Amino acid sequence: MFNLKTISLLPIHGTSPLSVFFSTHSSSREHAGHKLNSSCHSGMRRCVKEGYAYSLGNKNLSIKSPDGSNSGEEFSGNSYNKSIQYCCKLGDIDKAMALLAQMQALGFHPSSISYASLIEALASVGRTLEADAIFQEMVCFGFNPKLRFYNILLRGFLKKGLLGLGSRLLVVMEDMGICRNQETYEILLDYHVNAGRLDDTWLIINEMRSKGFQLNSFVYGKVIGLYRDNGMWKKAVGIVEEIREMGLSLDRQIYNSIIDTFGKYGELVEALEVFEKMQQESIRPDIVTWNSLIRWHCKAGDVAKALELFTQMQEQGFYPDPKIFITIISCLGELGKWDVIKKNFENMKDRGHGKIGAIYAILVDIYGQYGRFRDPEECIAALKLEGLQPSGSMFCILANAYAQQGLCEQTVKVLQLMEPEGIEPNLVMLNVLINAFGVAGKYKEALSVYHLMKDIGISPDLVTYSTLMKAFIRAKKFHKVPEIYKQMESSGCTPDRKARQILQSALVVLEQRR
C-alpha cells in the first residue's frame, strides 16, 4: 500500500509535511466510494452533526437576525432558515453550518431552500464532501432533490477531479428517473475538455445531438478548445464558418476561444486582429480575453506588448489576475527588470487596487529580487490583515508561485494551511505539488503524489500526466516517461502536442543509449 512517509521533505513538528496535510483526508477515500441513495446512514448524519458542533464550539457565534441586528430573542425554525440562507449569501459558510447544528439540536429541520443554499455555498468553495453529506441528509429527511442539486454536486465533484464520484452521481440520477439537462451536459463537457479526454468529449456532444440539445456558443467554444489542444488549430478556426452557416452570432466565448487558439500556436498578429474585430462588433473583452493575450505575448517573449495590454486591461476597469501577474513577474524577473515590476505595482495601487494589491505584493516578495522568500504563514496572515478572506484560488496561486521556484517545503506548507480554512485538496492543487517536486528534481515525491491522487479518488488529467513526465525528464529517468504516457492513454486522456513532444524527447534519448 502507498505510504506517505516515503516522501522525504524537511519535517515540521517531527512528521512529514505531506503526511500532516493528507492525514485528515484519509477518511475521504471511504466516503468517495459511498454511493448516494435514499436510505439514511446514521453514521454519516452523526459525523455531519459532530462536525457542525465542533464549528460551533470553536467559533464565537453571535446569533443575529437576517438583517444583522441582535434581538436577543430565541430563534424560531423560520428565523434559523432565513439566517442560514443569509449567511450563505454573504459567504459566511462556517457560521451557516454552526446555525444548522444549533437549529437541529433544538429539534428544527432546515427547509429545502436552506439545504440548497448550504449545498451551493459549500460546493462553490470546494467543500464538496460536506456538500455531499448535506445532500444525503436532505434525502434522509424525505426531501426529493431537484436536478439543480445534482448539477451543483456534479460540478463540485468534477472541479476537484473526482470523476468516479461524479460518475456514481450520474448513475443515481438515472436510477431516480432524473434526466440530464443542458447544464448537466455542459458540466460534463467542460470537465472532459479540460482533462484532455477526447473520446469522452465526442460521446457527450453526440449524445447532446441525439437528444435534441442545442449546440450553443459554450459547446462550440469547447470544441474549438478541443481542436486547439490536439494541435488542429486551423480546424479549430474552421469551426467559425460552421457557426456562421448555422446563423449563430459569434459571442464573447467564441471570440475568446479563437484568440486563445491563435495565441497558443504563436499567431499573435491574428489573435490581435480577432481582438480588434470583437470590439468593432461591440463585444467587450472580459478578463479571460485579456489574460489570454497577455499570457501568450509573454510566452512569445514580447514583454513590451504584454505590459501594454496589462495597462490597457486596468484602464478598462479590470483587476489583474494573480496568475497573469505571476507570468509577468517571471518574464521581467528573468530579464532583471525589477524596477519595471515595482513601477507596475505602484501603478496598480494608484488605480485603487488596494486589497487585491496585497496578493501581488506577496507574489513579488515570493519571487524576491534577492531571493528573500516569505514564509507561507506570513503570507496568509498578511492577506488576512488586508481584509482578504483566504480561498481555494488564493492558496493555489501562492502554492504555484512557490512551486515555480521549486520550493517544495513551502508549497506543501501552503496546502497544509488550507485545512484550517475548511478547503479540501483538489486536482489543481495536487498538480501544483507534483510540479513543485518536479522542478526541484524530486521525481519520487512527484510520483508519490500521483499515486496518492488516485488513492483518494481524484482522477488525474492531462496536466497531471504531462507534469509527471516532465519531472522524469528533469531527473533523467527517461524510461519512466513511456510508462506514464501509456497510463495517460489507458485512463481516457488524449495526449496533446506537448505530451507527444515530451514522449518523443524521452524516446530519442533511450534510442541513443542503446
Side-chain angles (χ1 to χ4, degrees):
M1 185 176 175
F2 172 68
N3 185 359
L4 289 175
K5 291 183 180 179
T6 59
I7 293 180
S8 56
L9 282 176
L10 293 175
I12 297 177
H13 304 304
T15 57
S16 164
L18 193 59
S19 65
V20 170
F21 173 64
F22 286 115
S23 61
T24 56
H25 296 284
S26 59
S27 61
S28 301
R29 194 177 316 146
E30 193 173 303
H31 178 78
H34 176 72
K35 181 179 175 182
L36 296 168
N37 55 55
S38 58
S39 62
C40 183
H41 298 274
S42 60
M44 174 65 73
R45 192 169 64 228
R46 182 174 67 255
C47 175
V48 172
K49 288 185 177 179
E50 286 175 356
Y52 298 161
Y54 178 83
S55 296
L56 184 63
N58 286 273
K59 188 177 180 74
N60 184 17
L61 179 65
S62 175
I63 304 299
K64 297 183 180 181
S65 60
D67 63 3
S69 62
N70 195 338
S71 62
E73 299 176 3
E74 188 174 340
F75 267 24
S76 65
N78 187 47
S79 299
Y80 274 110
N81 278 316
K82 286 183 178 178
S83 291
I84 286 171
Q85 294 160 32
Y86 183 71
C87 288
C88 288
K89 186 177 180 180
L90 292 179
D92 194 346
I93 302 171
D94 289 337
K95 187 170 181 179
M97 298 284 268
L99 283 167
L100 177 62
Q102 192 175 76
M103 78 178 295
Q104 290 181 327
L106 293 173
F108 298 119
H109 294 302
S111 65
S112 61
I113 298 175
S114 292
Y115 274 124
S117 299
L118 286 165
I119 291 170
E120 191 161 17
L122 287 166
S124 69
V125 295
R127 293 164 66 170
T128 50
L129 299 183
E130 291 171 87
D132 182 16
I134 295 289
F135 179 86
Q136 291 190 53
E137 183 179 286
M138 180 183 182
V139 174
C140 288
F141 285 123
F143 291 97
N144 293 315
K146 308 256 182 224
L147 177 57
R148 175 170 171 266
F149 290 85
Y150 288 96
N151 283 341
I152 290 170
L153 273 182
L154 181 63
R155 179 179 284 108
F157 288 149
L158 295 184
K159 189 174 182 181
K160 286 183 64 179
L162 298 169
L163 179 58
L165 202 53
S167 298
R168 281 187 280 275
L169 183 66
L170 292 172
V171 171
V172 172
M173 285 174 58
E174 189 174 345
D175 291 343
M176 299 290 288
I178 297 173
C179 298
R180 304 177 187 183
N181 63 2
Q182 180 89 17
E183 183 183 7
T184 313
Y185 283 112
E186 290 182 0
I187 292 169
L188 291 168
L189 195 62
D190 187 51
Y191 169 75
H192 289 310
V193 170
N194 291 337
R197 305 177 73 88
L198 182 63
D199 293 339
D200 289 325
T201 299
W202 284 117
L203 282 174
I204 293 297
I205 290 174
N206 290 333
E207 186 177 330
M208 289 181 72
R209 281 175 170 155
S210 67
K211 294 192 174 181
F213 285 98
Q214 181 183 3
L215 300 185
N216 56 21
S217 63
F218 175 86
V219 177
Y220 277 110
K222 291 300 176 183
V223 172
I224 290 172
L226 189 66
Y227 281 132
R228 175 199 65 211
D229 294 339
N230 283 276
M232 298 178 281
W233 69 271
K234 290 185 178 179
K235 199 167 184 179
V237 176
I239 292 288
V240 176
E241 292 305 316
E242 182 181 335
I243 296 171
R244 292 188 187 279
E245 288 172 6
M246 294 181 63
L248 295 174
S249 58
L250 300 183
D251 60 8
R252 185 183 293 111
Q253 173 114 19
I254 298 294
Y255 273 115
N256 284 347
S257 298
I258 298 169
I259 288 171
D260 200 51
T261 298
F262 277 130
K264 182 170 184 176
Y265 290 95
E267 306 291 338
L268 296 177
V269 174
E270 287 81 355
L272 289 171
E273 286 177 358
V274 175
F275 177 63
E276 292 298 326
K277 186 169 179 57
M278 74 182 290
Q279 294 178 88
Q280 290 169 8
E281 295 187 6
S282 301
I283 298 175
R284 187 169 183 258
D286 61 4
I287 191 69
V288 175
T289 320
W290 291 106
N291 284 351
S292 182
L293 286 169
I294 293 168
R295 178 173 65 255
W296 296 121
H297 277 87
C298 281
K299 292 281 185 183
D302 193 348
V303 183
K305 185 62 180 180
L307 286 172
E308 181 186 327
L309 291 163
F310 186 70
T311 301
Q312 289 177 19
M313 176 182 68
Q314 294 177 80
E315 289 172 350
Q316 293 290 323
F318 290 100
Y319 286 124
D321 186 333
K323 293 177 184 177
I324 290 301
F325 200 62
I326 288 177
T327 302
I328 291 174
I329 289 174
S330 298
C331 288
L332 293 172
E334 288 173 4
L335 297 172
K337 297 185 177 181
W338 293 95
D339 55 332
V340 180
I341 294 177
K342 183 178 179 182
K343 180 181 177 182
N344 276 272
F345 177 64
E346 293 298 328
N347 289 339
M348 285 161 50
K349 289 199 295 186
D350 291 342
R351 289 189 173 93
H353 301 340
K355 289 186 177 180
I356 201 158
I359 296 178
Y360 307 118
I362 287 172
L363 291 179
V364 172
D365 194 52
I366 287 172
Y367 275 90
Q369 184 175 1
Y370 302 106
R372 292 177 290 108
F373 302 101
R374 256 191 202 187
D375 182 82
E377 287 179 315
E378 292 179 15
C379 290
I380 300 300
L383 291 169
K384 286 182 175 179
L385 284 175
E386 292 289 334
L388 290 166
Q389 185 64 31
S391 64
S393 176
M394 182 188 298
F395 281 111
C396 238
I397 290 162
L398 290 175
N400 188 47
Y402 283 119
Q404 289 191 28
Q405 294 291 322
L407 299 170
C408 303
E409 186 180 355
Q410 288 91 331
T411 304
V412 171
K413 197 168 183 180
V414 170
L415 301 181
Q416 286 179 321
L417 292 171
M418 290 163 43
E419 188 194 338
E421 304 296 333
I423 301 170
E424 302 158 3
N426 60 32
L427 176 63
V428 175
M429 294 171 184
L430 295 181
N431 282 346
V432 166
L433 192 54
I434 290 174
N435 184 53
F437 287 132
V439 172
K442 297 177 179 288
Y443 72 92
K444 290 181 180 178
E445 289 83 351
L447 186 61
S448 295
V449 177
Y450 167 69
H451 288 307
L452 172 68
M453 185 184 291
K454 295 196 291 184
D455 198 36
I456 62 176
I458 294 179
S459 299
D461 64 359
L462 188 59
V463 175
T464 312
Y465 292 110
S466 296
T467 306
L468 190 56
M469 287 193 295
K470 283 193 292 185
F472 286 127
I473 291 283
R474 287 191 180 100
K476 301 188 185 304
K477 302 295 178 182
F478 302 101
H479 65 283
K480 298 290 291 182
V481 174
E483 294 177 19
I484 298 300
Y485 191 89
K486 287 179 181 178
Q487 291 178 34
M488 172 170 51
E489 290 183 310
S490 63
S491 74
C493 291
T494 305
D496 62 1
R497 187 175 68 167
K498 181 186 291 185
R500 293 193 295 270
Q501 286 174 343
I502 295 172
L503 174 65
Q504 188 60 35
S505 298
L507 292 176
V508 167
V509 174
L510 292 173
E511 183 63 31
Q512 291 172 348
R513 288 181 175 180
R514 288 176 183 172

